[in-house]
Amino acid sequence: MVEEPEDARMMYMSPSLSSLDYFMESYQARIDQLNEVRNKGTKVVGTFCLFVPDEIIFAAGADRIVLCGGRTDTIPIAEQSLPRNICPLIKSSFGAVVDACCGGKLSCPHVQLVDIVVAEATCDGKKKMYEILPEYVPTYVLDLPQKPGSSEALDYFRSGLRKFGQFMEGLTGNVLSEDALRREIRSSNETRKLLHRLFELRKQDPPPILGSEILSVMQKQFFLAPNQFRQGVSRLCDEMEQITTEPRSGRRIMISGCPMAAGNTKMSDIIEQKGGVIVVEESCTGTRSFWDLVDESKNPWTALAERYLEIPCACMTPNDRRIARIVDLAKQYNVDGVVYYTLQFCHAYNIERLRVQQALKKEKIPMLAIESDYGDSDIEQIGIRVDAFLEMIS
Ligand code: BJ8
């Protein structure tokens, strides 16, 4: 349990937004939809990372859901096969697959909905986990260059995407036409633009929505069909645009770091319960998922390769783009402080912390680093540190 704030900094209550109900209500409808399309022969692809372009999957006539695990209950199953000292996201995700494939009841029903996993060569933990995954579910691994800034990287990734497109054609039995790819690029860009509209509204002081509410919306991005998701975001923006908020004194916080997969809301919950006002998340469940658009005027394969290589993930090197993005977001959202949130044993984000801290220090933006897992045992201690941080930046 997260403690109540003891002092004047009370938890920020955003206006109650009825359009958020849509996201809850559409959950079961989406499961029914996926079962239905599968019964009619549509392939459903499970992914674990933003680097796998949705556009290619949809253009080949398949559907997709993201399987990143944010829950603790599947971790012990994973620890029977994997080392304990790897990040909880990997263990939770793997445990869910093993549980589902061995007839277990712990997992959310998502794993049973996929015909294949399309994985990606990002961090070491994931790459090695993907070598074991085919024992449980068919798996295709999309390779990624690790130095995205070079021209060789672009050529390599573009040809990798084309190969992936051919693979999808074989899987679905459909031809992946350039027209279909362009259509899906336009569709994904539409989603990205809507999310920009949503995040723009959070620049208000105070924002008309909680960070924990935004997180639950962003997590749905990876489960709902694109048109369902857009419908919900559009309604939410319409509602938020009608709201006038009263000025208040809470500190404006950016969370930056590892993704917060469905089931993991720990960091947002603690910050808000301690009175912080979360205004933006630099993460894969935040800006990283939608900030950059795909250039619709270019050859679609080139445009996709360029856009996806720009994702500022700490698995890439060097990752100056992310450092610049964090500073830029901190200024755009007028933040009072940054909570740098990492998952335990995520070396990429944990090591990159130093460069982020140095860049923020230059801009005189305070930063608090929190490394955590999916368990409850450190909630109190994190709460104390967040409390002290909020006090310091008041
Ligand atoms: S684009 S952040 S979704 S790789 S937290 S599993 S990096 S040890 S999830 Fe990620 Fe794609 Fe990058 Fe985003 Fe490894 Fe770190 Fe665990 Fe991670």
Side-chain angles (χ1 to χ4, degrees):
M1 287 287 293
V2 179
E3 274 181 32
E4 294 295 313
E6 311 102 18
D7 56 24
R9 276 195 324 266
M10 295 305 290
M11 179 179 174
Y12 172 50
M13 301 299 290
S14 76
S16 154
L17 294 159
S18 59
S19 47
L20 286 170
D21 296 344
Y22 169 88
F23 293 96
M24 292 309 292
E25 288 156 9
S26 50
Y27 179 80
Q28 188 54 46
R30 174 62 168 156
I31 291 187
D32 296 344
Q33 181 194 38
L34 286 165
N35 278 319
E36 201 180 307
V37 297
R38 277 188 87 202
N39 287 338
K40 291 182 183 156
T42 299
K43 299 292 179 193
V44 178
V45 173
T47 63
F48 286 102
C49 177
L50 293 184
F51 277 108
V52 179
D54 287 345
E55 289 93 335
I56 296 175
I57 297 171
F58 292 130
D63 208 329
R64 79 92 181 88
I65 51 176
V66 178
L67 297 173
C68 291
R71 297 162 39 149
T72 46
D73 50 4
T74 55
I75 288 180
I77 302 169
E79 286 178 345
Q80 291 171 20
S81 317
L82 303 178
R84 298 187 68 170
N85 57 348
I86 55 172
C87 109
L89 190 148
I90 297 174
K91 289 190 286 188
S92 174
S93 307
F94 180 73
V97 172
V98 175
D99 182 58
C101 297
C102 300
K105 298 271 178 278
L106 285 176
S107 309
C108 56
H110 302 183
V111 178
Q112 286 101 326
L113 292 169
V114 307
D115 296 288
I116 187 163
V117 162
V118 176
E120 78 308 322
T122 46
C123 68
D124 287 351
K126 272 180 159 184
K127 278 187 288 202
K128 301 316 280 184
M129 184 267 274
Y130 296 148
E131 291 176 10
I132 311 170
L133 215 52
E135 289 178 26
Y136 301 93
V137 58
T139 304
Y140 177 95
V141 180
L142 174 68
D143 197 13
L144 291 173
Q146 306 290 293
K147 293 176 76 177
S150 66
S151 60
E152 294 87 347
L154 182 64
D155 291 344
Y156 181 74
F157 191 48
R158 185 174 39 211
S159 78
L161 291 182
R162 280 187 180 275
K163 263 189 225 154
F164 172 44
Q166 286 160 4
F167 172 80
M168 286 303 302
E169 288 183 321
L171 179 78
T172 59
N174 299 324
V175 174
L176 196 168
S177 69
E178 210 171 289
D179 279 352
L181 200 52
R182 287 187 189 279
R183 182 194 66 222
E184 293 306 328
I185 287 173
R186 282 195 299 276
S187 162
S188 293
N189 275 348
E190 214 184 302
T191 307
R192 293 175 185 123
K193 286 178 203 162
L194 253 183
L195 288 170
H196 271 282
R197 181 178 158 207
L198 176 65
F199 273 55
E200 194 61 30
L201 288 162
R202 302 175 74 193
K203 290 183 178 169
Q204 291 174 34
D205 191 14
I209 189 164
L210 291 172
S212 46
E213 290 169 332
I214 284 282
L215 177 59
S216 75
V217 170
M218 296 304 285
Q219 288 169 341
K220 297 288 184 314
Q221 172 188 190
F222 303 119
F223 182 64
L224 297 181
N227 57 351
Q228 284 173 321
F229 180 69
R230 282 198 295 268
Q231 201 181 330
V233 177
S234 180
R235 282 190 203 176
L236 180 58
C237 290
D238 290 346
E239 190 179 359
M240 284 165 66
E241 281 163 0
Q242 302 304 316
I243 288 170
T244 321
T245 50
E246 294 296 317
R248 66 180 295 279
S249 59
R251 300 289 90 190
R252 294 174 67 84
I253 299 296
M254 167 161 76
I255 300 180
S256 169
C258 290
M260 291 172 271
N264 175 21
T265 58
K266 185 164 150 181
M267 201 61 247
S268 302
D269 291 346
I270 295 174
I271 293 171
E272 285 180 335
Q273 295 198 21
K274 292 294 178 186
V277 180
I278 300 167
V279 293
V280 64
E281 302 79 12
E282 186 279 323
S283 88
C284 293
T285 37
T287 55
R288 229 179 280 142
S289 70
F290 70 87
W291 205 255
D292 300 309
L293 271 63
V294 178
D295 188 338
E296 294 177 24
S297 67
K298 289 189 175 171
N299 170 285
W301 295 101
T302 303
L304 281 175
E306 284 176 352
R307 188 271 172 192
Y308 279 80
L309 279 184
E310 278 189 5
I311 295 171
C313 169
C315 296
M316 295 293 164
T317 186
N319 199 20
D320 299 342
R321 196 180 280 125
R322 175 167 179 244
I323 314 287
R325 171 76 50 84
I326 291 170
V327 172
D328 180 45
L329 287 171
K331 289 181 182 169
Q332 278 198 45
Y333 284 81
N334 195 21
V335 307
D336 298 301
V338 174
V339 173
Y340 193 84
Y341 166 72
T342 50
L343 291 172
Q344 241 175 20
F345 307 115
C346 173
H347 302 320
Y349 282 90
N350 278 317
I351 294 171
E352 203 156 275
R353 173 175 59 208
L354 183 66
R355 292 199 61 212
V356 173
Q357 189 152 31
Q358 288 166 343
L360 289 172
K361 198 172 173 188
K362 259 195 208 157
E363 303 293 334
K364 300 193 172 24
I365 301 166
M367 182 184 115
L368 170 71
I370 302 279
E371 182 181 350
S372 184
D373 59 14
Y374 288 172
D376 288 348
S377 60
D378 59 357
I379 286 180
E380 201 179 325
Q381 194 222 351
I382 294 174
I384 292 168
R385 294 187 59 209
V386 168
D387 232 351
F389 182 66
L390 293 174
E391 187 66 43
M392 185 192 87
I393 62 177
S394 297

